[in-house]
C-alpha cells in the first residue's frame, strides 16, 4: 500500500509501504477513508523535532474495518470507525478516569502512520468507536476532525471548565483553537473571545461561535481580555499553540481561581514557579484523551449539529501529501485533508 | 504596644510600635490572643527574600475585637475572631468563587504585622470569622493553626481533590504538610502517604492520619509512591515545600489525570513545559484562600474533632520571638506559638 514518509525536514514522500497486518490478537486493520496533516507534523517538518530515520507519518484517521484479531469483540469487519492518536485499552484505571491518552498500554498512532491507505490499530476494542449508520462525504470530513483537532479543542474546553455563564478566551487560531471555540459554544459559554489577526480564521471563529475577536498579542492581548471581562480575566482559557509567549498569555488571561486548558505541545516552555503560584489558576493539559469524547462528538456530527470539518481548507489526494505539508508550513492552509 | 520587627536576616527584635487605629471605616482593631511564626517568615530571616527596611512581622492571629470602624456590621467589639493572612471583602466575584486570597481588594496582613499585641484588620466584615462561644486555651491553639497552616494544608487537599477511596501523597513534613495529612484524613482519603525522614514529624503525621511513611526523596521517593499506588502514582498529591525538587517530586508522584495541590511558595522554581504537558495532571496552587474554609474549620475545632494546634511544638512569650525564629530556622521546632 502507499503511505506518507518523512525523510528529512521539508522532505515528505508518498511511497510504497508494507501492508499492515494483525500483530496482536487485539489489533484491527482499517482501510483509511480520510486522513490529514496535523500542526504537530510540522514540528519535524520544520526541524524543531529531530527525525532520526525516514518516518511514516500521520495519526488522524477514519475508515472501515477490514480485519480484526482473534481477541477483538466490539469492532467488526465493515464497521465505519473513528479512532484517535493514542490507541488505548479503555479499561485501565487511567482510561476509566477519562485519560485514555495516558492509558497504561497506550500506543502512539503516530508511530504507525495513518497517512496511508491502510493502518493497523492496536487495542481495537478500546480505541475505535463505531459510527452509527453510513456517513455522508461531508460527515466523513467532520468525523476526521473529531479524530484529533476537534477532540483536542473539546478536551481543552472541558479542561478549562467552560460552561454556561462563563467567559472563555482562546489563544491560538489554528484548527485546534478554532475548534476550541466551537466546543466552548456547544458547552454553553456566554462569551467566547478568539485571539486572531488572520481574517479567514477570524471568520471561521465567528462562524464557530466567537462573540469577540482580539488581535493584540502578549501583554496588550492580556490587557484586552481583562477589559472584556470586568478587569478580572476570563473564567476559562484555552491554550492551543505551545510556545512560551502563548502559555504566558494564557496564564495571564485567566482570572484567579479560573481554569486554563492547554493543548499546544509545549516546546521550549519554562513556567516560572512564582508567577504560577500567584496566578492561582487551575491548569490541566497534555495530549488530549480524545477517546473520552468520541462517542458524544460522533453523535453530534451524525445529527448534523456541528461542522468541525470546516477547518479543512485544502483537500488533496494522498499522492499530493507533500504539497499539503508545504501549504500548512507556509500558512496557506489551516488544515489539509488527504483523500483516498 | 509591643511587636516583632525584623531588621535584617537573623535579626528579629520585639520593640515598641505605634498603636493600631481604625484607618478605613471597614477596619477593626483586635487584641491578639495568640500569634505564631510562619515557615514563610524564614525566607527573609535566611536572606532568601530581600528585606528593604525594618519590617513588622506576622500574619497569623486570633483575638478579640476591641474597636470597629463605622461601616463594620458583622463583627462586634468583644467577639473572639479568626482571620487569615489576606484581608478580603468576601463579596467580589473572585471571593465568591472561593479565592479570597486573590480578592480584588486583598490586603496582605504580613504588611501589617500580627506578631504584636494588637493589629488593625482591614475589611473586617469579610476577613474575620467569629468563634461561637468561649474557646479554651487548647482551642485557641487550634484556632490559631486554622489562621494559616491548617487553612493552607486544607486548601492543598481540596485543590488536590482528596476524597473517599483516593490515595494521597504529601510532599513536605512542615506544619502545612502535616496539616495536609490531617485534612486528607478528614476529607476521607483511603491511603495517606507522608514523605518524611524526621522521627517526630513522622509521629505527628501518623497521629494526623498517615497510613504510610516514605523516607526516600527525589526519584527514589517517586518510585516508592508508585510502588504504593499500583504503579500509577497517587490520585492526589499535596506539595508543601516550594523548591524545584519538591515540585518535580510532586508532579512525578501524581498519576495521569490526578490532582496536585501546591502551596509551598515556589522560590526559584522553573517548570518544564514538556514535562508538565506529558504529566497530564490537574494543578492548582497559590496563597491559600483560607477564608473559604474558616467557618468549617472553626466548627470542627470547637466540636473538638481536630487538633491542628498539635503542630506547635514550642510556645514562647512574644518577648522571646527571636528565640522562636532561631528554633524554627535551626529546625529545632516545627512551628512556634507566641503567647500574649
Amino acid at each position: 500500500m502507499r503511505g506518507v514518509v518523512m525523510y528529512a525536514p521539508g522532505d515528505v514522500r508518498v511511497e510504497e509501504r508494507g501492508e499492515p497486518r494483525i500483530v496482536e490478537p487485539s489489533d484491527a486493520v482499517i482501510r483509511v477513508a480520510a486522513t490529514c496533516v496535523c500542526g504537530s507534523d510540522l514540528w519535524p517538518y520544520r526541524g524543531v523535532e529531530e527525525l532520526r530515520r525516514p518516518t511514516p507519518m500521520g495519526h488522524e484517521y477514519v475508515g472501515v474495518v477490514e480485519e480484526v484479531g482473534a481477541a477483538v469483540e466490539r469492532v467488526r469487519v465493515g464497521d465505519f470507525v473513528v479512532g484517535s492518536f493514542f490507541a488505548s485499552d479503555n479499561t485501565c484505571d487511567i482510561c476509566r478516569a477519562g485519560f485514555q491518552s495516558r492509558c497504561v498500554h497506550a500506543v502512539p498512532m503516530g508511530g504507525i502512520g495513518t497517512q496511508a491507505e491502510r493502518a493497523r490499530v492496536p487495542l481495537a476494542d478500546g480505541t475505535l468507536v463505531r459510527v452509527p449508520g453510513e456517513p455522508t462525504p461531508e460527515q466523513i470530513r467532520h468525523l476526521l476532525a473529531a479524530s484529533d483537532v476537534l477532540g483536542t479543542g473539546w478536551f481543552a474546553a472541558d479542561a478549562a471548565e467552560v460552561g454556561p455563564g462563563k467567559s472563555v478566551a482562546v489563544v491560538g487560531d489554528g484548527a485546534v483553537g478554532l475548534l476550541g471555540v466551537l466546543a466552548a459554544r456547544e458547552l454553553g459559554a456566554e462569551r467566547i473571545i478568539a485571539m486572531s489577526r488572520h481574517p479567514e480564521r477570524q471568520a471561521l471563529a465567528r462562524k464557530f461561535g466567537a462573540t469577540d475577536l482580539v488581535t493584540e498579542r502578549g501583554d496588550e492581548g492580556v490587557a484586552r481580555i481583562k477589559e472584556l471581562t470586568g478587569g478580572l480575566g476570563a473564567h476559562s482559557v484555552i491554550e492551543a499553540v505551545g510556545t512560551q509567549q502563548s502559555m504566558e498569555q494564557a496564564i495571564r488571561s485567566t482570572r484567579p481561581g479560573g481554569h486554563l486548558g492547554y493543548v499546544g505541545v509545549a516546546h521550549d516552555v519554562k513556567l516560572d514557579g512564582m508567577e504560577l503560584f500567584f496566578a492561582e489558576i487551575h491548569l490541566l493539559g497534555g495530549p488530549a484523551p480524545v477517546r473520552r469524547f468520541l462517542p458524544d462528538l460522533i453523535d453530534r456530527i451524525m445529527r448534523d449539529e456541528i461542522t468541525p470539518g470546516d477547518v479543512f481548507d485544502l483537500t488533496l489526494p494522498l499522492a499530493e501529501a507533500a504539497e499539503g505539508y508545504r501549504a500548512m508550513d507556509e500558512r496557506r492552509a489551516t488544515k489539509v485533508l488527504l483523500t483516498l
Side-chain angles (χ1 to χ4, degrees), chain A residues 72-84:
Chain A
V72 174
E73 293 181 348
R74 298 163 60 97
V75 171
R76 293 182 195 173
V77 171
D79 284 352
F80 194 97
V81 291
V82 186
S84 71

Side-chain angles (χ1 to χ4, degrees), chain A residues 88-104 155 158-159 161 284 287-293:
Chain A
S88 56
D89 62 26
N90 210 30
T91 57
C92 75
D93 281 355
I94 304 299
C95 280
R96 282 188 291 141
F99 288 85
Q100 291 91 338
S101 47
R102 292 296 315 275
C103 171
V104 297
F155 167 60
D158 184 80
E161 300 216 348
L284 173 61
V290 175
R291 178 62 183 82
R292 188 203 316 172
F293 305 102

Side-chain angles (χ1 to χ4, degrees), chain A residues 221-238:
Chain A
V222 172
R224 278 292 292 144
I225 298 291
K226 293 209 168 155
E227 268 178 48
L228 293 167
T229 53
L232 300 176
H235 292 99
S236 300
V237 175
I238 292 172

Side-chain angles (χ1 to χ4, degrees), chain A residues 5-272:
Chain A
V5 178
M6 189 180 292
Y7 275 75
D11 181 2
V12 165
R13 308 180 197 172
V14 178
E15 59 179 31
E16 198 57 33
R17 288 176 48 201
E19 282 300 323
R21 55 183 189 82
I22 302 291
V23 178
E24 301 288 337
S26 51
D27 288 348
V29 170
I30 63 166
R31 178 169 48 75
V32 176
T35 182
C36 49
V37 184
C38 183
S40 67
D41 294 332
L42 297 182
W43 293 108
Y45 189 84
R46 289 169 174 165
V48 179
E49 275 178 18
E50 198 191 351
L51 207 64
R52 290 205 189 79
R53 62 187 71 83
T55 303
M57 298 297 295
H59 53 261
E60 296 154 287
Y61 55 100
V62 296
V64 177
V65 177
E66 284 202 332
E67 190 182 354
V68 295
V72 174
E73 293 181 348
R74 298 163 60 97
V75 171
R76 293 182 195 173
V77 171
D79 284 352
F80 194 97
V81 291
V82 186
S84 71
F85 49 92
F86 274 107
S88 56
D89 62 26
N90 210 30
T91 57
C92 75
D93 281 355
I94 304 299
C95 280
R96 282 188 291 141
F99 288 85
Q100 291 91 338
S101 47
R102 292 296 315 275
C103 171
V104 297
H105 299 118
V107 181
M109 292 299 296
I112 286 173
T114 64
Q115 290 165 6
E117 291 174 302
R118 288 183 182 71
R120 180 175 74 90
V121 181
L123 304 165
D125 275 340
T127 306
L128 297 173
V129 181
R130 200 172 72 81
V131 175
E134 189 71 33
T136 65
E138 271 309 301
Q139 286 171 333
I140 288 177
R141 296 171 70 85
H142 302 318
L143 292 168
L144 177 63
S147 174
D148 179 349
V149 282
L150 173 61
T152 296
W154 202 279
F155 167 60
D158 184 80
E161 300 216 348
V162 169
K166 289 196 179 179
S167 53
V168 183
V170 181
V171 179
D173 63 358
V176 172
L178 290 167
L179 291 169
V181 169
L182 181 149
R185 180 194 69 195
E186 291 294 303
L187 294 168
E190 181 171 303
R191 184 162 209 170
I192 303 169
I193 308 163
M195 306 189 86
S196 174
R197 48 178 63 183
H198 184 298
E200 286 158 37
R201 298 180 184 202
Q202 288 179 339
L204 200 46
R206 284 279 190 202
K207 178 177 177 185
F208 283 157
T211 56
D212 299 86
L213 294 168
V214 165
T215 54
E216 293 86 348
R217 289 183 190 170
D219 290 348
E220 287 178 24
V222 172
R224 278 292 292 144
I225 298 291
K226 293 209 168 155
E227 268 178 48
L228 293 167
T229 53
L232 300 176
H235 292 99
S236 300
V237 175
I238 292 172
E239 192 284 334
V241 183
T243 62
Q244 185 72 27
Q245 190 194 28
S246 67
M247 276 300 281
E248 288 178 353
Q249 189 170 316
I251 290 168
R252 294 170 191 169
S253 297
T254 312
R255 68 175 55 193
H259 292 77
L260 168 57
Y262 61 100
V263 289
V265 182
H267 285 77
D268 299 319
V269 171
K270 292 279 178 196
L271 299 183
D272 182 72

